[in-house]
Amino acid sequence: MRKSNNDGQFVLGAVFGAAVAGIAALLFAPKSGAELRQDISDEFDEFLIKAEGYKDYAMDRGADLMDQAAEMRDDVELQIRETAYDVRHSFDQAMDKAEDKWEDVKSDAKDVAEEAKKEAKAAGQELESEAKETKDKVEAGAKQAEKEAKHLADETKDAAKDLKDSAKESADKVQKAAKDAK
């Protein structure tokens, strides 16, 4: 999960760096104030489109993580069912053997059957406990993935807003400088 956080920080840094570089290039270009404001507006619109793409990527990645968690949960549930079936099947076989020998060794068979029941019950309880733990872990992982995806989307949105505010301030300064220059 740490890797996906680093990816998000890299993407956010790349978007911010590209926007700052674009604005810097526009500010140092020899153009009139109207052309400069139009270029800044165009750059900002392009940045918003890219930011929307990164947001979509983050949401898609979060959905993929949710799908992977659901698949893992389904696989674990299937494994638990198969293991429970095997335990039940083994138990059934032990009971059949005990019934076949019941007439010959009643007292011994009774003891064996009681012990088999205890072991099966203990195994069932252990399986149930492990299944609950696994389910809780999968759900926690899914919730964490969703939380990280939302966090990445929020960071991208905040960065876009900050960049928009910064671009507006820069445009206002340029406009004021242009007025002062007249």
PDB file of all heavy atoms in Angstrom, residues 90-107:
ATOM      1  N   SER A  90     -14.229 -35.962   6.149  1.00  0.00           N
ATOM      2  CA  SER A  90     -13.379 -36.801   7.005  1.00  0.00           C
ATOM      3  C   SER A  90     -14.138 -37.269   8.235  1.00  0.00           C
ATOM      4  O   SER A  90     -14.037 -38.436   8.645  1.00  0.00           O
ATOM      5  CB  SER A  90     -12.131 -36.031   7.442  1.00  0.00           C
ATOM      6  OG  SER A  90     -11.352 -35.704   6.333  1.00  0.00           O
ATOM      7  N   PHE A  91     -14.901 -36.371   8.798  1.00  0.00           N
ATOM      8  CA  PHE A  91     -15.696 -36.725   9.974  1.00  0.00           C
ATOM      9  C   PHE A  91     -16.727 -37.793   9.616  1.00  0.00           C
ATOM     10  O   PHE A  91     -16.916 -38.773  10.348  1.00  0.00           O
ATOM     11  CB  PHE A  91     -16.383 -35.472  10.530  1.00  0.00           C
ATOM     12  CG  PHE A  91     -17.285 -35.760  11.695  1.00  0.00           C
ATOM     13  CD1 PHE A  91     -16.754 -36.057  12.932  1.00  0.00           C
ATOM     14  CD2 PHE A  91     -18.663 -35.749  11.546  1.00  0.00           C
ATOM     15  CE1 PHE A  91     -17.582 -36.323  14.008  1.00  0.00           C
ATOM     16  CE2 PHE A  91     -19.496 -36.022  12.614  1.00  0.00           C
ATOM     17  CZ  PHE A  91     -18.956 -36.304  13.855  1.00  0.00           C
ATOM     18  N   ASP A  92     -17.395 -37.624   8.486  1.00  0.00           N
ATOM     19  CA  ASP A  92     -18.389 -38.608   8.045  1.00  0.00           C
ATOM     20  C   ASP A  92     -17.749 -39.975   7.836  1.00  0.00           C
ATOM     21  O   ASP A  92     -18.328 -41.016   8.203  1.00  0.00           O
ATOM     22  CB  ASP A  92     -19.080 -38.140   6.768  1.00  0.00           C
ATOM     23  CG  ASP A  92     -20.010 -36.955   6.993  1.00  0.00           C
ATOM     24  OD1 ASP A  92     -20.350 -36.685   8.177  1.00  0.00           O
ATOM     25  OD2 ASP A  92     -20.384 -36.302   6.002  1.00  0.00           O
ATOM     26  N   GLN A  93     -16.556 -39.986   7.255  1.00  0.00           N
ATOM     27  CA  GLN A  93     -15.869 -41.259   7.051  1.00  0.00           C
ATOM     28  C   GLN A  93     -15.533 -41.917   8.388  1.00  0.00           C
ATOM     29  O   GLN A  93     -15.678 -43.135   8.538  1.00  0.00           O
ATOM     30  CB  GLN A  93     -14.595 -41.055   6.228  1.00  0.00           C
ATOM     31  CG  GLN A  93     -14.862 -40.781   4.770  1.00  0.00           C
ATOM     32  CD  GLN A  93     -13.571 -40.536   3.988  1.00  0.00           C
ATOM     33  OE1 GLN A  93     -12.533 -40.226   4.559  1.00  0.00           O
ATOM     34  NE2 GLN A  93     -13.666 -40.675   2.677  1.00  0.00           N
ATOM     35  N   ALA A  94     -15.075 -41.120   9.341  1.00  0.00           N
ATOM     36  CA  ALA A  94     -14.751 -41.669  10.672  1.00  0.00           C
ATOM     37  C   ALA A  94     -16.002 -42.237  11.326  1.00  0.00           C
ATOM     38  O   ALA A  94     -15.949 -43.300  11.980  1.00  0.00           O
ATOM     39  CB  ALA A  94     -14.126 -40.586  11.543  1.00  0.00           C
ATOM     40  N   MET A  95     -17.130 -41.546  11.150  1.00  0.00           N
ATOM     41  CA  MET A  95     -18.387 -42.046  11.734  1.00  0.00           C
ATOM     42  C   MET A  95     -18.813 -43.364  11.074  1.00  0.00           C
ATOM     43  O   MET A  95     -19.293 -44.282  11.746  1.00  0.00           O
ATOM     44  CB  MET A  95     -19.490 -40.999  11.593  1.00  0.00           C
ATOM     45  CG  MET A  95     -19.296 -39.773  12.472  1.00  0.00           C
ATOM     46  SD  MET A  95     -19.232 -40.157  14.228  1.00  0.00           S
ATOM     47  CE  MET A  95     -20.885 -40.746  14.488  1.00  0.00           C
ATOM     48  N   ASP A  96     -18.639 -43.480   9.756  1.00  0.00           N
ATOM     49  CA  ASP A  96     -18.979 -44.722   9.058  1.00  0.00           C
ATOM     50  C   ASP A  96     -18.146 -45.885   9.574  1.00  0.00           C
ATOM     51  O   ASP A  96     -18.666 -46.990   9.803  1.00  0.00           O
ATOM     52  CB  ASP A  96     -18.808 -44.568   7.547  1.00  0.00           C
ATOM     53  CG  ASP A  96     -19.865 -43.666   6.926  1.00  0.00           C
ATOM     54  OD1 ASP A  96     -20.906 -43.416   7.583  1.00  0.00           O
ATOM     55  OD2 ASP A  96     -19.644 -43.197   5.783  1.00  0.00           O
ATOM     56  N   LYS A  97     -16.851 -45.636   9.743  1.00  0.00           N
ATOM     57  CA  LYS A  97     -15.980 -46.694  10.265  1.00  0.00           C
ATOM     58  C   LYS A  97     -16.402 -47.083  11.680  1.00  0.00           C
ATOM     59  O   LYS A  97     -16.399 -48.274  12.032  1.00  0.00           O
ATOM     60  CB  LYS A  97     -14.522 -46.248  10.257  1.00  0.00           C
ATOM     61  CG  LYS A  97     -13.907 -46.184   8.884  1.00  0.00           C
ATOM     62  CD  LYS A  97     -12.462 -45.721   8.954  1.00  0.00           C
ATOM     63  CE  LYS A  97     -11.871 -45.582   7.573  1.00  0.00           C
ATOM     64  NZ  LYS A  97     -10.496 -45.097   7.598  1.00  0.00           N
ATOM     65  N   ALA A  98     -16.743 -46.109  12.464  1.00  0.00           N
ATOM     66  CA  ALA A  98     -17.151 -46.388  13.842  1.00  0.00           C
ATOM     67  C   ALA A  98     -18.436 -47.218  13.869  1.00  0.00           C
ATOM     68  O   ALA A  98     -18.587 -48.142  14.689  1.00  0.00           O
ATOM     69  CB  ALA A  98     -17.341 -45.093  14.612  1.00  0.00           C
ATOM     70  N   GLU A  99     -19.371 -46.912  12.961  1.00  0.00           N
ATOM     71  CA  GLU A  99     -20.618 -47.683  12.903  1.00  0.00           C
ATOM     72  C   GLU A  99     -20.377 -49.122  12.460  1.00  0.00           C
ATOM     73  O   GLU A  99     -21.038 -50.048  12.952  1.00  0.00           O
ATOM     74  CB  GLU A  99     -21.606 -46.982  11.964  1.00  0.00           C
ATOM     75  CG  GLU A  99     -22.192 -45.706  12.537  1.00  0.00           C
ATOM     76  CD  GLU A  99     -23.080 -44.967  11.556  1.00  0.00           C
ATOM     77  OE1 GLU A  99     -23.354 -45.507  10.456  1.00  0.00           O
ATOM     78  OE2 GLU A  99     -23.484 -43.845  11.884  1.00  0.00           O
ATOM     79  N   ASP A 100     -19.423 -49.319  11.507  1.00  0.00           N
ATOM     80  CA  ASP A 100     -19.097 -50.674  11.052  1.00  0.00           C
ATOM     81  C   ASP A 100     -18.542 -51.531  12.196  1.00  0.00           C
ATOM     82  O   ASP A 100     -18.799 -52.740  12.274  1.00  0.00           O
ATOM     83  CB  ASP A 100     -18.081 -50.632   9.902  1.00  0.00           C
ATOM     84  CG  ASP A 100     -18.685 -50.070   8.618  1.00  0.00           C
ATOM     85  OD1 ASP A 100     -19.939 -50.032   8.528  1.00  0.00           O
ATOM     86  OD2 ASP A 100     -17.914 -49.666   7.728  1.00  0.00           O
ATOM     87  N   LYS A 101     -17.786 -50.949  13.096  1.00  0.00           N
ATOM     88  CA  LYS A 101     -17.174 -51.696  14.201  1.00  0.00           C
ATOM     89  C   LYS A 101     -18.011 -51.651  15.479  1.00  0.00           C
ATOM     90  O   LYS A 101     -17.618 -52.219  16.498  1.00  0.00           O
ATOM     91  CB  LYS A 101     -15.781 -51.129  14.480  1.00  0.00           C
ATOM     92  CG  LYS A 101     -14.812 -51.338  13.335  1.00  0.00           C
ATOM     93  CD  LYS A 101     -13.453 -50.793  13.676  1.00  0.00           C
ATOM     94  CE  LYS A 101     -12.512 -50.972  12.507  1.00  0.00           C
ATOM     95  NZ  LYS A 101     -11.174 -50.510  12.838  1.00  0.00           N
ATOM     96  N   TRP A 102     -19.136 -50.989  15.426  1.00  0.00           N
ATOM     97  CA  TRP A 102     -19.946 -50.756  16.619  1.00  0.00           C
ATOM     98  C   TRP A 102     -20.323 -52.051  17.334  1.00  0.00           C
ATOM     99  O   TRP A 102     -20.220 -52.128  18.552  1.00  0.00           O
ATOM    100  CB  TRP A 102     -21.202 -49.982  16.241  1.00  0.00           C
ATOM    101  CG  TRP A 102     -22.081 -49.643  17.390  1.00  0.00           C
ATOM    102  CD1 TRP A 102     -23.256 -50.226  17.708  1.00  0.00           C
ATOM    103  CD2 TRP A 102     -21.844 -48.665  18.368  1.00  0.00           C
ATOM    104  NE1 TRP A 102     -23.787 -49.663  18.830  1.00  0.00           N
ATOM    105  CE2 TRP A 102     -22.912 -48.680  19.264  1.00  0.00           C
ATOM    106  CE3 TRP A 102     -20.803 -47.750  18.588  1.00  0.00           C
ATOM    107  CZ2 TRP A 102     -23.001 -47.847  20.364  1.00  0.00           C
ATOM    108  CZ3 TRP A 102     -20.901 -46.910  19.681  1.00  0.00           C
ATOM    109  CH2 TRP A 102     -21.985 -46.965  20.549  1.00  0.00           C
ATOM    110  N   GLU A 103     -20.724 -53.040  16.586  1.00  0.00           N
ATOM    111  CA  GLU A 103     -21.143 -54.301  17.194  1.00  0.00           C
ATOM    112  C   GLU A 103     -19.972 -55.014  17.847  1.00  0.00           C
ATOM    113  O   GLU A 103     -20.156 -55.650  18.881  1.00  0.00           O
ATOM    114  CB  GLU A 103     -21.790 -55.206  16.144  1.00  0.00           C
ATOM    115  CG  GLU A 103     -23.130 -54.694  15.654  1.00  0.00           C
ATOM    116  CD  GLU A 103     -24.150 -54.536  16.767  1.00  0.00           C
ATOM    117  OE1 GLU A 103     -24.197 -55.384  17.671  1.00  0.00           O
ATOM    118  OE2 GLU A 103     -24.888 -53.535  16.741  1.00  0.00           O
ATOM    119  N   ASP A 104     -18.789 -54.921  17.243  1.00  0.00           N
ATOM    120  CA  ASP A 104     -17.625 -55.639  17.767  1.00  0.00           C
ATOM    121  C   ASP A 104     -17.044 -54.950  18.998  1.00  0.00           C
ATOM    122  O   ASP A 104     -16.655 -55.613  19.957  1.00  0.00           O
ATOM    123  CB  ASP A 104     -16.537 -55.786  16.701  1.00  0.00           C
ATOM    124  CG  ASP A 104     -16.993 -56.639  15.544  1.00  0.00           C
ATOM    125  OD1 ASP A 104     -17.912 -57.456  15.746  1.00  0.00           O
ATOM    126  OD2 ASP A 104     -16.451 -56.456  14.438  1.00  0.00           O
ATOM    127  N   VAL A 105     -16.969 -53.662  18.947  1.00  0.00           N
ATOM    128  CA  VAL A 105     -16.314 -52.939  20.046  1.00  0.00           C
ATOM    129  C   VAL A 105     -17.144 -51.737  20.443  1.00  0.00           C
ATOM    130  O   VAL A 105     -16.725 -50.598  20.243  1.00  0.00           O
ATOM    131  CB  VAL A 105     -14.901 -52.483  19.647  1.00  0.00           C
ATOM    132  CG1 VAL A 105     -13.827 -53.058  20.516  1.00  0.00           C
ATOM    133  CG2 VAL A 105     -14.571 -52.721  18.211  1.00  0.00           C
ATOM    134  N   LYS A 106     -18.299 -51.972  21.058  1.00  0.00           N
ATOM    135  CA  LYS A 106     -19.217 -50.881  21.396  1.00  0.00           C
ATOM    136  C   LYS A 106     -18.565 -49.829  22.276  1.00  0.00           C
ATOM    137  O   LYS A 106     -18.663 -48.630  21.988  1.00  0.00           O
ATOM    138  CB  LYS A 106     -20.448 -51.438  22.121  1.00  0.00           C
ATOM    139  CG  LYS A 106     -21.480 -52.011  21.224  1.00  0.00           C
ATOM    140  CD  LYS A 106     -22.696 -52.378  22.042  1.00  0.00           C
ATOM    141  CE  LYS A 106     -23.790 -52.879  21.127  1.00  0.00           C
ATOM    142  NZ  LYS A 106     -24.990 -53.243  21.868  1.00  0.00           N
ATOM    143  N   SER A 107     -17.955 -50.241  23.320  1.00  0.00           N
ATOM    144  CA  SER A 107     -17.416 -49.249  24.252  1.00  0.00           C
ATOM    145  C   SER A 107     -16.277 -48.446  23.619  1.00  0.00           C
ATOM    146  O   SER A 107     -16.194 -47.223  23.798  1.00  0.00           O
ATOM    147  CB  SER A 107     -16.964 -49.905  25.546  1.00  0.00           C
ATOM    148  OG  SER A 107     -15.914 -50.813  25.302  1.00  0.00           O
TER     149      SER A 107
END
